[in-house]
Amino acid sequence: MTSKLIPSDPASVMVIRKVTPNILTCSAPFARYGKFKVGGRGTIVRLQNNSLAVFSPIALTPDVRTHLEELGNNVQYISALDYEHHIFISEWAKAFPNAKILGVEGLPEKRESSKETAGNKFDHVWTRGNKDDFRVDPDFDRDFEYEYVGSHANKELVFYYKPDKTLIEADLMFNLPATEQYSRTKEGAEQGVLTKLFVGFMNTQGAAKWQKRFIWYAPSAKDRKGFNQSIKRINSWDFQRIIPCHGDVIENNAKGIFQTVFDWHIKSQKA
């Protein structure tokens, strides 16, 4: 199934970029359901103690390994950002067996139910019951704030890397088209009728009215109160950049764009 979603030769199309001296992004083509070009992105962060954390792991290519060596190669944390972004956890866990694996409730069971993904023990699992008192360890917690958005349909886990004022997230919001992620392919980031329609919904331009409506009526609908509380907490962080899994990194006016997309949730009412 994954062969239909990810490139057969990730190294040939991956874009590896230093966003800051401590943050490395690994961006590649990814087509949701094999039809919607949304792109995929793994993010590697060097903590103040020089250990590395990887979020939403992407293919561990030779080029990625080279960059890891340049950053010290001390991978101590491997985190799935939600119930869906976990395909490459096994590959990273095998390469870095001492790393702690982080994820959300239900994901360990989901992975154990498939022969392709079974066999990895999760060290830290966020649940709706433990999220308020959750701690990883002193080194990780010194550098990161985090919020488990269990009210989201995909059980989102959002991280704020305080030293570089950067928000890291998966499906909480998109910033399509996935221009960087398709920049090394012969395909356009907006190529295809279904992709063009999806880009129209899941972009952050202007009032972002379609993405705002989509989030209000779809992923947040079952527990909007809980979703609103999570968004308000995330909005309290002093981030200046957003690294999404899908679409381009938001370098300018990130907080303003976030507040536009989630305006109704921040105000707890639809305008």
Side-chain angles (χ1 to χ4, degrees):
M1 177 62 182
T2 55
S3 62
K4 297 180 181 179
L5 307 177
I6 60 177
S8 57
D9 182 12
S12 68
V13 292
M14 188 180 296
V15 178
I16 302 176
R17 179 167 68 94
K18 267 196 172 183
V19 177
T20 77
N22 295 312
I23 300 177
L24 187 77
T25 56
C26 306
S27 306
F30 178 84
R32 181 158 286 188
Y33 309 120
K35 300 180 183 296
F36 302 92
K37 294 181 176 67
V38 298
R41 177 176 291 109
T43 301
I44 299 162
V45 177
R46 180 169 54 192
L47 281 67
Q48 293 180 82
N49 71 348
N50 288 320
S51 65
L52 302 178
V54 57
F55 301 94
S56 189
I58 202 164
L60 190 52
T61 67
D63 285 343
V64 173
R65 286 181 176 272
T66 296
H67 280 83
L68 288 172
E69 290 284 351
E70 293 173 356
L71 289 171
N73 207 39
N74 184 22
V75 176
Q76 291 295 317
Y77 311 93
I78 301 169
S79 179
L81 287 179
D82 64 16
Y83 191 71
E84 302 294 338
H85 289 73
H86 65 93
I87 295 174
F88 291 101
I89 281 180
S90 296
E91 183 178 1
W92 283 75
K94 182 178 180 181
F96 302 99
N98 294 324
K100 298 176 180 179
I101 301 178
L102 287 58
V104 299
E105 57 188 325
L107 182 56
E109 293 81 4
K110 176 182 179 179
R111 288 179 57 81
E112 285 301 310
S113 69
S114 170
K115 291 181 180 179
E116 291 183 1
T117 56
N120 299 120
K121 177 184 177 296
F122 279 71
D123 298 277
H124 298 285
V125 178
W126 277 260
T127 72
R128 297 184 75 168
N130 72 15
K131 60 174 282 186
D132 292 336
D133 301 313
F134 199 93
R135 299 292 181 269
V136 177
D137 62 42
D139 288 327
F140 190 90
D141 294 344
R142 180 172 60 247
D143 284 11
F144 291 97
E145 298 280 0
Y146 35 82
E147 174 67 8
Y148 173 47
V149 193
S151 48
H152 189 287
N154 285 354
K155 302 179 180 179
E156 297 299 307
L157 191 52
V158 180
F159 291 90
Y160 170 49
Y161 179 56
K162 292 180 283 187
D164 287 349
K165 297 188 175 184
T166 299
L167 196 72
I168 302 168
E169 55 90 12
D171 290 343
L172 188 69
M173 63 178 281
F174 287 42
N175 186 37
L176 299 182
T179 306
E180 181 179 40
Q181 291 153 324
Y182 277 84
S183 63
R184 293 188 65 192
T185 73
K186 295 179 180 179
E187 307 172 56
E190 298 183 65
Q191 184 176 325
V193 174
L194 292 177
T195 295
K196 287 178 180 177
L197 288 172
F198 200 61
V199 168
F201 271 89
M202 304 304 285
N203 66 74
T204 60
Q205 297 174 16
K209 63 179 182 179
W210 290 111
Q211 179 159 198
K212 183 185 294 186
R213 289 173 179 171
F214 172 79
I215 295 170
W216 182 265
Y217 289 111
S220 74
K222 288 187 177 180
D223 179 12
R224 191 163 292 130
K225 180 180 179 181
F227 192 92
N228 293 350
Q229 290 173 345
S230 288
I231 293 301
K232 289 175 183 178
R233 178 160 190 263
I234 295 168
N235 187 54
S236 72
W237 299 336
D238 186 28
F239 58 89
Q240 298 177 358
R241 175 188 297 107
I242 299 175
I243 301 180
C245 279
H246 306 300
D248 288 348
V249 174
I250 302 174
E251 296 278 7
N252 300 309
N253 192 33
K255 189 68 171 286
I257 290 171
F258 180 90
Q259 291 172 340
T260 294
V261 171
F262 294 103
D263 178 50
W264 297 344
H265 298 282
I266 293 169
K267 295 176 179 176
S268 296
Q269 62 179 5
K270 180 177 175 292

